[in-house]
Coordinates of all heavy atoms in Angstrom, one line a residue:
M237 N -66.3 -86.8 -87.7 CA -65.0 -87.5 -87.2 C -64.8 -88.8 -88.1 O -65.6 -89.8 -87.9 CB -65.0 -87.8 -85.8 CG -63.8 -88.5 -85.1 SD -62.3 -87.4 -85.0 CE -61.1 -88.6 -84.7
K238 N -63.7 -88.7 -88.8 CA -63.4 -89.9 -89.6 C -62.3 -90.7 -89.0 O -61.4 -90.0 -88.4 CB -63.2 -89.5 -91.1 CG -64.4 -89.1 -91.8 CD -64.1 -88.9 -93.3 CE -65.3 -88.4 -93.9 NZ -65.6 -88.8 -95.3
Y239 N -62.3 -91.9 -89.2 CA -61.1 -92.7 -88.9 C -60.9 -93.9 -89.7 O -61.8 -94.3 -90.4 CB -61.2 -93.2 -87.4 CG -62.4 -94.1 -87.2 CD1 -62.2 -95.5 -87.3 CD2 -63.7 -93.7 -86.9 CE1 -63.4 -96.4 -87.0 CE2 -64.8 -94.4 -86.8 CZ -64.6 -95.8 -86.8 OH -65.7 -96.6 -86.6
P240 N -59.6 -94.3 -90.0 CA -59.4 -95.3 -90.9 C -59.8 -96.7 -90.3 O -59.5 -97.1 -89.2 CB -57.8 -95.3 -91.2 CG -57.4 -94.7 -89.9 CD -58.5 -93.8 -89.3
V241 N -60.4 -97.4 -91.2 CA -60.9 -98.8 -91.0 C -60.3 -99.7 -92.1 O -60.3 -99.4 -93.3 CB -62.4 -99.0 -90.9 CG1 -62.8 -100.4 -90.6 CG2 -63.0 -97.9 -90.0
T242 N -59.6 -100.8 -91.6 CA -59.1 -101.7 -92.7 C -59.9 -103.0 -92.8 O -60.7 -103.4 -91.9 CB -57.5 -102.1 -92.2 OG1 -57.8 -102.7 -90.7 CG2 -56.7 -101.0 -92.2
Y243 N -59.7 -103.5 -94.0 CA -60.6 -104.8 -94.4 C -59.6 -105.6 -95.2 O -58.7 -105.1 -95.9 CB -61.7 -104.4 -95.3 CG -62.7 -103.3 -94.6 CD1 -62.6 -102.0 -95.0 CD2 -63.6 -103.8 -93.8 CE1 -63.4 -101.1 -94.3 CE2 -64.5 -102.9 -93.2 CZ -64.3 -101.5 -93.5 OH -65.3 -100.6 -93.0
Y244 N -59.9 -106.9 -95.1 CA -59.2 -107.8 -95.9 C -59.9 -108.1 -97.2 O -61.1 -108.5 -97.3 CB -58.9 -109.1 -95.2 CG -57.9 -109.0 -94.2 CD1 -58.2 -108.8 -92.8 CD2 -56.6 -109.3 -94.3 CE1 -57.4 -108.8 -91.7 CE2 -55.7 -109.2 -93.3 CZ -56.0 -108.9 -92.0 OH -55.2 -108.8 -91.0
C245 N -59.2 -108.2 -98.4 CA -59.8 -108.6 -99.6 C -60.1 -110.1 -99.3 O -59.3 -110.8 -98.9 CB -58.7 -108.5 -100.7 SG -59.4 -109.4 -102.2
P246 N -61.3 -110.6 -99.6 CA -61.8 -112.0 -99.4 C -61.1 -112.9 -100.4 O -61.2 -114.2 -100.3 CB -63.2 -111.8 -99.5 CG -63.6 -110.8 -100.4 CD -62.5 -109.8 -100.1
H247 N -60.5 -112.4 -101.4 CA -59.9 -113.2 -102.4 C -58.5 -113.5 -102.2 O -58.0 -114.7 -102.2 CB -59.9 -112.6 -103.8 CG -61.3 -112.2 -104.3 ND1 -62.3 -113.1 -104.7 CD2 -61.8 -111.0 -104.4 CE1 -63.4 -112.4 -105.0 NE2 -63.1 -111.2 -104.9
C248 N -57.7 -112.5 -101.8 CA -56.2 -112.7 -101.6 C -55.7 -112.1 -100.4 O -54.5 -112.1 -100.0 CB -55.5 -112.0 -102.7 SG -55.7 -110.1 -102.7
E249 N -56.5 -111.5 -99.4 CA -56.2 -110.9 -98.1 C -55.2 -109.7 -98.2 O -54.6 -109.5 -97.2 CB -55.6 -112.2 -97.3 CG -56.6 -113.3 -97.0 CD -56.1 -114.2 -95.9 OE1 -54.9 -114.2 -95.7 OE2 -56.9 -115.0 -95.5
T250 N -55.2 -109.1 -99.3 CA -54.6 -107.8 -99.4 C -55.5 -106.9 -98.4 O -56.7 -107.0 -98.4 CB -54.7 -107.2 -100.8 OG1 -53.7 -108.0 -101.5 CG2 -54.3 -105.7 -100.8
I251 N -54.8 -106.0 -97.5 CA -55.4 -105.1 -96.8 C -55.7 -103.7 -97.4 O -54.9 -103.3 -98.0 CB -54.6 -104.9 -95.5 CG1 -54.2 -106.3 -94.8 CG2 -55.3 -104.0 -94.5 CD1 -53.1 -106.0 -93.7
V252 N -57.0 -103.3 -97.3 CA -57.4 -102.0 -97.8 C -58.0 -101.2 -96.7 O -58.1 -101.8 -95.7 CB -58.5 -102.2 -98.9 CG1 -58.1 -103.1 -100.1 CG2 -59.8 -102.7 -98.3
E253 N -58.0 -99.9 -96.9 CA -58.3 -98.9 -95.9 C -59.3 -98.0 -96.4 O -59.2 -97.6 -97.5 CB -57.0 -98.2 -95.4 CG -57.2 -97.4 -94.2 CD -55.9 -96.7 -93.8 OE1 -55.4 -95.8 -94.4 OE2 -55.2 -97.2 -92.9
L254 N -60.1 -97.5 -95.5 CA -61.2 -96.6 -95.8 C -61.4 -95.7 -94.6 O -61.4 -96.1 -93.5 CB -62.6 -97.4 -96.0 CG -63.7 -96.9 -96.8 CD1 -63.3 -96.7 -98.3 CD2 -64.9 -97.9 -96.9
A255 N -61.6 -94.4 -95.0 CA -61.8 -93.4 -93.9 C -63.3 -93.4 -93.7 O -64.1 -93.3 -94.6 CB -61.4 -92.0 -94.3
R256 N -63.7 -93.7 -92.5 CA -65.2 -93.9 -92.1 C -65.6 -92.9 -91.1 O -65.0 -92.6 -90.1 CB -65.3 -95.3 -91.7 CG -65.1 -96.3 -92.8 CD -66.3 -96.5 -93.5 NE -67.4 -96.7 -92.8 CZ -67.8 -98.0 -92.4 NH1 -67.1 -99.0 -92.7 NH2 -68.7 -98.1 -91.6
D257 N -66.9 -92.5 -91.2 CA -67.6 -91.9 -90.1 C -68.0 -93.1 -89.0 O -68.2 -94.1 -89.6 CB -68.9 -91.1 -90.7 CG -68.6 -89.8 -91.2 OD1 -67.5 -89.4 -91.0 OD2 -69.4 -89.3 -91.9
G258 N -67.9 -92.6 -88.0 CA -68.2 -93.6 -86.8 C -69.4 -94.2 -86.7 O -69.7 -95.3 -86.3
Y259 N -70.5 -93.5 -87.3 CA -71.9 -94.0 -87.1 C -72.2 -95.2 -88.1 O -73.2 -95.8 -87.8 CB -72.9 -92.8 -87.3 CG -73.0 -92.4 -88.6 CD1 -73.8 -92.9 -89.7 CD2 -72.2 -91.2 -89.0 CE1 -73.9 -92.4 -90.8 CE2 -72.4 -90.7 -90.2 CZ -73.1 -91.3 -91.2 OH -73.2 -90.8 -92.5
L260 N -71.5 -95.4 -89.2 CA -71.7 -96.5 -90.0 C -71.4 -97.8 -89.5 O -70.4 -97.9 -88.8 CB -71.1 -96.2 -91.3 CG -71.7 -95.3 -92.4 CD1 -70.8 -95.0 -93.5 CD2 -73.0 -95.7 -92.9
A261 N -72.3 -98.8 -89.5 CA -72.0 -100.1 -89.1 C -71.8 -101.1 -90.3 O -72.4 -101.0 -91.2 CB -73.1 -100.6 -88.2
D262 N -70.7 -101.9 -90.1 CA -70.5 -103.0 -91.2 C -71.3 -104.2 -91.0 O -71.5 -104.5 -89.9 CB -69.0 -103.4 -91.2 CG -68.0 -102.1 -91.4 OD1 -68.5 -101.2 -92.1 OD2 -66.9 -102.3 -91.1
K263 N -71.8 -104.6 -92.1 CA -72.5 -105.9 -92.0 C -71.7 -107.1 -92.4 O -71.5 -108.1 -91.7 CB -73.6 -105.8 -93.1 CG -74.6 -107.0 -93.1 CD -75.6 -106.9 -94.2 CE -76.4 -108.1 -94.4 NZ -77.2 -108.7 -93.2
S264 N -70.8 -106.9 -93.6 CA -70.1 -108.0 -94.1 C -69.2 -107.4 -95.2 O -69.4 -106.5 -95.8 CB -70.9 -109.1 -94.6 OG -71.8 -108.7 -95.6
V265 N -68.0 -108.2 -95.4 CA -67.2 -108.2 -96.6 C -67.3 -109.4 -97.4 O -67.1 -110.4 -96.9 CB -65.8 -107.9 -96.2 CG1 -64.9 -107.8 -97.5 CG2 -65.6 -106.6 -95.4
T266 N -67.8 -109.3 -98.6 CA -68.1 -110.5 -99.4 C -67.5 -110.4 -100.8 O -67.1 -109.3 -101.4 CB -69.5 -110.7 -99.5 OG1 -70.2 -109.5 -100.0 CG2 -70.2 -111.0 -98.1
Q267 N -67.4 -111.5 -101.4 CA -66.9 -111.6 -102.8 C -67.9 -111.1 -103.8 O -67.6 -110.8 -105.0 CB -66.3 -113.0 -103.2 CG -65.3 -113.5 -102.3 CD -64.7 -114.9 -102.8 OE1 -65.1 -115.3 -103.9 NE2 -63.8 -115.5 -101.9
Y268 N -69.0 -111.2 -103.5 CA -70.2 -110.9 -104.4 C -71.1 -109.9 -103.7 O -71.2 -109.8 -102.5 CB -71.1 -112.1 -104.7 CG -70.0 -113.0 -105.4 CD1 -69.7 -114.2 -104.6 CD2 -69.8 -113.0 -106.7 CE1 -68.8 -115.1 -105.3 CE2 -68.9 -113.9 -107.4 CZ -68.4 -115.0 -106.5 OH -67.7 -115.9 -107.1
P269 N -71.8 -108.9 -104.5 CA -72.7 -108.0 -103.9 C -73.9 -108.6 -103.3 O -74.3 -109.7 -103.7 CB -73.1 -107.1 -105.2 CG -72.7 -108.0 -106.3 CD -71.6 -108.8 -106.0
L270 N -74.4 -108.1 -102.2 CA -75.6 -108.6 -101.6 C -76.8 -108.2 -102.4 O -77.0 -107.0 -103.1 CB -75.7 -108.0 -100.1 CG -74.6 -108.4 -99.2 CD1 -75.1 -107.8 -97.9 CD2 -74.4 -109.9 -99.1
D271 N -77.9 -109.0 -102.4 CA -79.0 -108.7 -103.3 C -79.8 -107.5 -102.7 O -80.1 -107.6 -101.5 CB -79.9 -110.0 -103.2 CG -80.9 -110.0 -104.3 OD1 -80.6 -109.3 -105.4 OD2 -82.0 -110.6 -104.1
G272 N -80.0 -106.5 -103.5 CA -80.7 -105.3 -103.0 C -79.8 -104.2 -102.4 O -80.3 -103.2 -102.1
W273 N -78.6 -104.4 -102.3 CA -77.8 -103.4 -101.9 C -77.2 -102.7 -103.0 O -76.9 -103.2 -104.2 CB -76.5 -104.0 -101.0 CG -76.5 -104.0 -99.5 CD1 -75.8 -103.2 -98.8 CD2 -77.5 -104.7 -98.7 NE1 -76.1 -103.4 -97.4 CE2 -77.2 -104.3 -97.4 CE3 -78.6 -105.6 -99.0 CZ2 -77.8 -104.9 -96.2 CZ3 -79.2 -106.1 -97.9 CH2 -78.8 -105.6 -96.5
S274 N -76.9 -101.3 -102.9 CA -76.3 -100.6 -104.0 C -74.8 -100.2 -103.6 O -74.7 -99.9 -102.3 CB -77.1 -99.4 -104.4 OG -77.2 -98.5 -103.2
Y275 N -74.0 -100.2 -104.4 CA -72.6 -100.0 -104.2 C -72.0 -98.8 -104.9 O -72.3 -98.7 -106.1 CB -71.7 -101.3 -104.4 CG -72.1 -102.5 -103.5 CD1 -73.2 -103.4 -104.0 CD2 -71.6 -102.7 -102.3 CE1 -73.5 -104.4 -103.2 CE2 -72.0 -103.8 -101.5 CZ -72.9 -104.6 -101.9 OH -73.4 -105.7 -101.2
V276 N -71.1 -98.2 -104.2 CA -70.3 -97.1 -105.0 C -68.9 -97.4 -104.8 O -68.4 -98.2 -104.0 CB -70.7 -95.7 -104.4 CG1 -72.2 -95.4 -104.7 CG2 -70.3 -95.5 -102.9
S277 N -68.0 -96.7 -105.6 CA -66.6 -96.9 -105.5 C -66.0 -96.1 -104.3 O -66.7 -95.3 -103.7 CB -65.9 -96.5 -106.8 OG -65.7 -95.1 -106.7
V278 N -64.7 -96.4 -104.0 CA -64.1 -95.7 -102.9 C -63.9 -94.3 -103.2 O -63.7 -93.5 -102.3 CB -62.7 -96.4 -102.5 CG1 -62.8 -97.9 -102.1 CG2 -61.8 -96.4 -103.8
D279 N -64.1 -93.9 -104.4 CA -63.9 -92.5 -104.7 C -65.2 -91.7 -104.7 O -65.2 -90.5 -104.7 CB -63.3 -92.3 -106.1 CG -61.9 -92.9 -106.2 OD1 -61.2 -92.8 -105.2 OD2 -61.6 -93.4 -107.3
D280 N -66.1 -92.4 -104.5 CA -67.6 -91.8 -104.4 C -68.1 -91.4 -102.9 O -67.4 -91.9 -102.0 CB -68.7 -92.7 -104.9 CG -68.5 -92.8 -106.6 OD1 -68.0 -91.7 -107.1 OD2 -68.8 -93.8 -107.1
E281 N -69.1 -90.8 -102.9 CA -69.6 -90.5 -101.4 C -70.3 -91.6 -100.9 O -71.5 -91.7 -100.7 CB -70.5 -89.4 -101.5 CG -69.9 -88.1 -102.0 CD -68.8 -87.4 -101.2 OE1 -69.2 -87.6 -99.9 OE2 -67.9 -86.9 -101.6
Y282 N -69.4 -92.6 -100.5 CA -70.0 -93.8 -99.9 C -70.9 -93.7 -98.7 O -71.7 -94.6 -98.4 CB -68.9 -94.9 -99.8 CG -67.6 -94.5 -99.1 CD1 -67.6 -94.5 -97.7 CD2 -66.5 -94.1 -99.8 CE1 -66.5 -94.1 -97.0 CE2 -65.4 -93.6 -99.1 CZ -65.4 -93.7 -97.7 OH -64.3 -93.2 -97.2
E283 N -70.6 -92.6 -98.0 CA -71.3 -92.5 -96.7 C -72.7 -92.1 -96.9 O -73.5 -92.1 -96.0 CB -70.5 -91.6 -95.7 CG -69.3 -92.5 -95.1 CD -68.2 -91.6 -94.8 OE1 -68.1 -90.6 -95.3 OE2 -67.4 -92.1 -93.9
T284 N -73.0 -91.5 -98.1 CA -74.3 -91.0 -98.2 C -75.1 -91.6 -99.4 O -76.2 -91.8 -99.6 CB -74.3 -89.5 -98.4 OG1 -73.3 -89.2 -99.5 CG2 -73.9 -88.8 -97.3
D285 N -74.2 -92.1 -100.4 CA -74.9 -92.6 -101.6 C -75.1 -94.1 -101.7 O -75.9 -94.3 -102.7 CB -74.1 -92.2 -102.8 CG -73.9 -90.6 -103.0 OD1 -74.9 -89.9 -102.3 OD2 -73.3 -90.1 -103.8
G286 N -74.5 -94.8 -101.0 CA -74.6 -96.2 -101.3 C -74.9 -97.0 -100.0 O -74.8 -96.5 -98.9
D287 N -75.2 -98.3 -100.1 CA -75.3 -99.1 -99.0 C -74.0 -100.0 -98.8 O -73.9 -100.7 -97.7 CB -76.4 -100.1 -99.3 CG -77.7 -99.6 -99.8 OD1 -78.1 -98.6 -99.0 OD2 -78.3 -100.0 -100.7
G288 N -73.1 -99.6 -99.6 CA -71.8 -100.3 -99.4 C -70.9 -99.7 -100.3 O -71.0 -98.9 -101.1
V289 N -69.6 -100.4 -100.3 CA -68.4 -99.9 -101.2 C -68.0 -101.1 -102.1 O -67.8 -102.3 -101.5 CB -67.3 -99.4 -100.2 CG1 -66.1 -98.9 -101.2 CG2 -67.8 -98.2 -99.5
R290 N -67.8 -101.0 -103.4 CA -67.2 -101.9 -104.2 C -65.8 -101.5 -104.3 O -65.4 -100.6 -104.9 CB -68.0 -101.9 -105.5 CG -67.4 -102.8 -106.5 CD -68.1 -102.6 -107.8 NE -67.8 -103.6 -108.9 CZ -66.7 -103.5 -109.7 NH1 -65.9 -102.6 -109.7 NH2 -66.5 -104.6 -110.6
F291 N -64.9 -102.4 -103.8 CA -63.5 -102.3 -103.9 C -63.1 -103.0 -105.2 O -63.7 -104.0 -105.6 CB -62.7 -102.9 -102.7 CG -63.0 -102.1 -101.4 CD1 -63.9 -102.6 -100.6 CD2 -62.0 -101.0 -101.2 CE1 -64.1 -102.0 -99.3 CE2 -62.3 -100.5 -99.8 CZ -63.2 -101.0 -99.0
V292 N -62.0 -102.5 -105.9 CA -61.2 -103.3 -106.8 C -59.9 -103.5 -106.3 O -59.1 -102.5 -106.3 CB -61.4 -102.7 -108.2 CG1 -60.7 -103.6 -109.1 CG2 -62.8 -102.4 -108.6
C293 N -59.6 -104.7 -105.8 CA -58.4 -105.0 -105.1 C -57.1 -104.5 -105.8 O -56.8 -105.0 -106.9 CB -58.3 -106.5 -104.8 SG -57.0 -106.9 -103.8
G294 N -56.3 -103.6 -105.1 CA -55.1 -103.1 -105.8 C -55.3 -102.1 -106.8 O -54.2 -101.5 -107.3
K295 N -56.5 -101.8 -107.4 CA -56.7 -101.0 -108.5 C -57.4 -99.6 -108.2 O -57.5 -98.7 -109.0 CB -57.6 -101.7 -109.5 CG -57.0 -103.1 -110.0 CD -55.8 -102.8 -110.9 CE -55.4 -104.1 -111.5 NZ -54.1 -104.6 -111.0
D296 N -58.0 -99.5 -106.9 CA -58.7 -98.3 -106.7 C -58.0 -97.4 -105.6 O -58.5 -96.5 -105.2 CB -60.1 -98.6 -106.2 CG -60.2 -99.5 -105.0 OD1 -59.0 -99.8 -104.4 OD2 -61.2 -100.0 -104.6
G297 N -56.7 -97.8 -105.3 CA -55.9 -96.9 -104.5 C -56.2 -97.0 -103.1 O -55.8 -96.2 -102.2
S298 N -56.9 -98.0 -102.6 CA -57.4 -98.2 -101.2 C -56.4 -99.1 -100.5 O -56.5 -99.2 -99.3 CB -58.8 -98.9 -101.2 OG -58.8 -100.1 -101.8
T299 N -55.4 -99.7 -101.1 CA -54.6 -100.7 -100.4 C -53.6 -99.8 -99.4 O -53.2 -98.8 -99.7 CB -53.6 -101.4 -101.4 OG1 -53.0 -100.5 -102.3 CG2 -54.4 -102.5 -102.1
V300 N -53.4 -100.5 -98.3 CA -52.8 -99.8 -97.1 C -51.2 -99.7 -97.7 O -50.6 -98.6 -97.5 CB -52.8 -100.7 -95.9 CG1 -51.8 -100.1 -94.8 CG2 -54.2 -100.6 -95.4
D301 N -50.8 -100.8 -98.2 CA -49.3 -100.8 -98.7 C -49.4 -100.6 -100.2 O -49.7 -101.3 -100.9 CB -48.8 -102.2 -98.4 CG -47.3 -102.2 -98.9 OD1 -46.8 -101.3 -99.6 OD2 -46.6 -103.1 -98.3
P302 N -48.7 -99.3 -100.6 CA -48.9 -99.1 -102.0 C -48.1 -99.9 -103.0 O -48.2 -99.9 -104.1 CB -48.4 -97.6 -102.1 CG -47.5 -97.5 -100.9 CD -48.3 -98.3 -99.8
N303 N -47.2 -100.8 -102.4 CA -46.3 -101.7 -103.1 C -47.1 -103.0 -103.3 O -46.5 -103.8 -104.1 CB -45.0 -101.9 -102.4 CG -44.2 -100.6 -102.3 OD1 -44.1 -99.8 -103.3 ND2 -43.6 -100.3 -101.2
V304 N -48.2 -103.1 -102.8 CA -49.0 -104.4 -103.0 C -49.9 -104.3 -104.2 O -50.5 -103.3 -104.4 CB -49.7 -104.8 -101.7 CG1 -50.9 -105.8 -102.0 CG2 -48.9 -105.1 -100.6
D305 N -49.7 -105.3 -105.0 CA -50.5 -105.1 -106.3 C -52.0 -105.5 -106.1 O -52.8 -105.1 -106.9 CB -49.9 -106.1 -107.4 CG -48.6 -105.5 -107.9 OD1 -48.3 -104.4 -107.8 OD2 -47.7 -106.4 -108.3
G306 N -52.2 -106.4 -105.1 CA -53.7 -106.8 -105.0 C -53.9 -107.9 -106.3 O -53.1 -108.2 -107.0
C307 N -55.1 -108.4 -106.2 CA -55.6 -109.4 -107.2 C -56.4 -108.8 -108.3 O -56.7 -109.5 -109.3 CB -56.3 -110.6 -106.5 SG -57.8 -110.0 -105.7
G308 N -56.8 -107.5 -108.2 CA -57.5 -106.9 -109.3 C -59.0 -107.4 -109.3 O -59.8 -106.9 -110.3
R309 N -59.4 -108.1 -108.4 CA -60.8 -108.6 -108.4 C -61.7 -107.7 -107.5 O -61.3 -107.2 -106.5 CB -61.0 -110.0 -107.9 CG -60.2 -110.8 -108.8 CD -59.9 -112.3 -108.1 NE -61.1 -113.1 -108.2 CZ -61.2 -114.3 -107.6 NH1 -60.1 -114.9 -107.0 NH2 -62.4 -115.0 -107.8
P310 N -63.0 -107.5 -107.8 CA -63.8 -106.7 -107.0 C -64.4 -107.5 -105.7 O -64.4 -108.7 -105.7 CB -65.0 -106.4 -107.9 CG -65.1 -107.6 -108.8 CD -63.7 -108.1 -109.0
F311 N -64.5 -106.7 -104.7 CA -65.2 -107.3 -103.5 C -66.0 -106.1 -102.9 O -65.8 -105.0 -103.2 CB -64.2 -107.9 -102.5 CG -63.2 -106.9 -102.0 CD1 -63.4 -106.5 -100.7 CD2 -61.9 -106.7 -102.6 CE1 -62.5 -105.7 -100.1 CE2 -61.0 -106.0 -102.1 CZ -61.2 -105.4 -100.8
Y312 N -66.8 -106.6 -101.9 CA -67.9 -105.7 -101.5 C -68.0 -105.5 -100.0 O -68.2 -106.6 -99.4 CB -69.3 -106.2 -102.1 CG -69.2 -106.3 -103.6 CD1 -68.7 -107.4 -104.2 CD2 -69.8 -105.3 -104.4 CE1 -68.7 -107.4 -105.6 CE2 -69.6 -105.3 -105.8 CZ -69.2 -106.4 -106.4 OH -69.1 -106.4 -107.7
L313 N -67.9 -104.4 -99.5 CA -68.2 -104.0 -98.1 C -69.6 -103.5 -98.0 O -70.0 -102.6 -98.6 CB -67.4 -103.0 -97.7 CG -67.7 -102.2 -96.3 CD1 -67.6 -103.2 -95.2 CD2 -66.8 -101.0 -96.1
S314 N -70.5 -104.3 -97.2 CA -71.8 -103.9 -97.0 C -72.1 -103.3 -95.6 O -71.7 -103.8 -94.7 CB -72.7 -105.1 -97.3 OG -72.5 -105.7 -98.4
F315 N -72.8 -102.1 -95.7 CA -73.2 -101.5 -94.4 C -74.4 -102.0 -93.9 O -75.2 -102.5 -94.8 CB -73.2 -100.0 -94.6 CG -72.1 -99.3 -95.1 CD1 -72.2 -98.4 -96.0 CD2 -70.8 -99.6 -94.6 CE1 -71.0 -97.6 -96.6 CE2 -69.6 -99.0 -95.0 CZ -69.8 -98.0 -96.1
V316 N -74.7 -102.0 -92.7 CA -76.0 -102.3 -92.1 C -76.9 -101.1 -92.5 O -76.6 -100.0 -92.2 CB -75.9 -102.4 -90.5 CG1 -77.4 -102.5 -90.0 CG2 -75.1 -103.6 -90.2
R317 N -78.0 -101.5 -93.1 CA -78.9 -100.4 -93.6 C -79.8 -99.9 -92.5 O -80.4 -100.8 -91.9 CB -79.7 -100.8 -94.8 CG -78.8 -101.1 -96.0 CD -79.5 -100.9 -97.3 NE -80.7 -101.9 -97.4 CZ -81.1 -102.4 -98.5 NH1 -80.6 -102.2 -99.6 NH2 -82.2 -103.3 -98.5
K318 N -79.9 -98.7 -92.4 CA -80.8 -98.1 -91.3 C -82.1 -97.4 -91.9 O -82.0 -97.0 -93.1 CB -80.0 -97.3 -90.4 CG -79.4 -96.1 -91.1 CD -78.4 -95.3 -90.1 CE -77.8 -94.2 -90.7 NZ -77.0 -94.5 -92.0
G319 N -83.0 -97.5 -91.4 CA -84.3 -96.9 -91.6 C -84.9 -97.5 -93.0 O -85.4 -96.8 -93.8
T320 N -84.7 -98.8 -93.2 CA -85.1 -99.4 -94.4 C -86.5 -99.6 -94.4 O -87.1 -100.3 -93.5 CB -84.4 -100.7 -94.6 OG1 -82.9 -100.5 -94.7 CG2 -84.7 -101.3 -96.1
T321 N -87.3 -99.0 -95.3 CA -88.7 -99.2 -95.3 C -89.1 -99.8 -96.8 O -88.2 -99.9 -97.7 CB -89.5 -97.9 -95.4 OG1 -89.0 -97.0 -96.4 CG2 -89.1 -97.1 -94.0
E322 N -90.3 -100.2 -97.0 CA -90.6 -100.8 -98.2 C -90.5 -99.8 -99.4 O -90.1 -100.2 -100.4 CB -92.1 -101.3 -98.2 CG -92.2 -102.6 -97.5 CD -93.6 -103.2 -97.5 OE1 -94.3 -102.8 -98.5 OE2 -94.0 -104.1 -96.8
A323 N -90.9 -98.5 -99.0 CA -90.7 -97.5 -99.9 C -89.2 -97.2 -100.3 O -88.9 -97.1 -101.5 CB -91.3 -96.1 -99.4
G324 N -88.5 -97.2 -99.2 CA -87.0 -97.1 -99.5 C -86.5 -98.2 -100.3 O -85.6 -98.0 -101.3
S325 N -86.8 -99.5 -100.0 CA -86.4 -100.5 -100.9 C -86.7 -100.4 -102.3 O -86.0 -100.7 -103.3 CB -86.9 -101.9 -100.3 OG -86.6 -102.0 -99.0
A326 N -88.0 -100.0 -102.5 CA -88.5 -99.8 -103.9 C -87.6 -98.8 -104.6 O -87.3 -99.0 -105.9 CB -89.9 -99.3 -103.9
L327 N -87.3 -97.7 -104.0 CA -86.4 -96.7 -104.6 C -85.2 -97.3 -105.0 O -84.5 -97.1 -106.1 CB -86.1 -95.4 -103.7 CG -87.4 -94.5 -103.5 CD1 -87.0 -93.5 -102.5 CD2 -87.4 -93.7 -104.8
I328 N -84.4 -98.1 -104.2 CA -83.2 -98.6 -104.5 C -83.3 -99.5 -105.5 O -82.3 -99.7 -106.4 CB -82.7 -99.3 -103.2 CG1 -82.3 -98.3 -102.0 CG2 -81.4 -100.2 -103.4 CD1 -82.0 -98.9 -100.7
Q329 N -84.4 -100.3 -105.7 CA -84.4 -101.2 -106.9 C -84.8 -100.6 -108.2 O -84.9 -101.5 -109.1 CB -85.4 -102.4 -106.5 CG -84.9 -103.2 -105.4 CD -86.0 -104.0 -104.8 OE1 -87.1 -104.1 -105.3 NE2 -85.7 -104.6 -103.7
R330 N -85.1 -99.4 -108.3 CA -85.5 -98.9 -109.6 C -84.5 -99.0 -110.7 O -83.3 -99.2 -110.4 CB -85.9 -97.3 -109.5 CG -84.6 -96.4 -109.4 CD -84.9 -95.0 -109.1 NE -83.5 -94.5 -108.8 CZ -83.4 -93.6 -107.9 NH1 -84.4 -93.1 -107.2 NH2 -82.1 -93.1 -107.6
Ligands
ZN1483 ZN1 -57.5 -109.2 -103.6

């Protein structure tokens, strides 16, 4: 079951939208990637392949209002990572 979740660009407050499975929990939305997190684009399988999503404001088709240009800068949605072990962390950092 997916449902749309909206986020604000931390640079310009443009609203973007992402279809999300309910079980994923958000940690934060930041201007810079978190150390050790891996990010995929909104077009990728963000629910299985990444620890978060790298938006490009207004450029990746995620804006709620298609008439809004956005600022063109990247920002990062980080999920709460579950089942993180030392082995898992080592894999992510390869
Ligand atoms: Zn923006």
Side-chain angles (χ1 to χ4, degrees):
M237 177 74 187
K238 294 195 178 208
Y239 61 95
V241 181
T242 55
Y243 304 96
Y244 287 95
C245 170
H247 304 288
C248 69
E249 299 190 342
T250 288
I251 303 169
V252 300
E253 187 175 80
L254 203 62
R256 291 277 308 274
D257 278 343
Y259 65 87
L260 280 170
D262 294 340
K263 178 179 172 64
S264 59
V265 176
T266 53
Q267 297 185 12
Y268 301 100
L270 300 186
D271 202 22
W273 260 246
S274 63
Y275 296 89
V276 298
S277 81
V278 294
D279 296 324
D280 290 327
E281 296 294 321
Y282 47 82
E283 279 149 341
T284 52
D285 290 353
D287 305 316
V289 178
R290 180 183 188 270
F291 292 95
V292 182
C293 184
K295 303 287 189 247
D296 60 8
S298 61
T299 50
V300 172
D301 183 346
N303 296 317
V304 169
D305 288 336
C307 63
R309 299 166 74 184
F311 62 96
Y312 300 84
L313 165 66
S314 303
F315 302 137
V316 173
R317 293 204 303 212
K318 52 190 181 301
T320 303
T321 62
E322 283 190 17
S325 300
L327 280 174
I328 288 165
Q329 288 167 11
R330 77 187 163 215

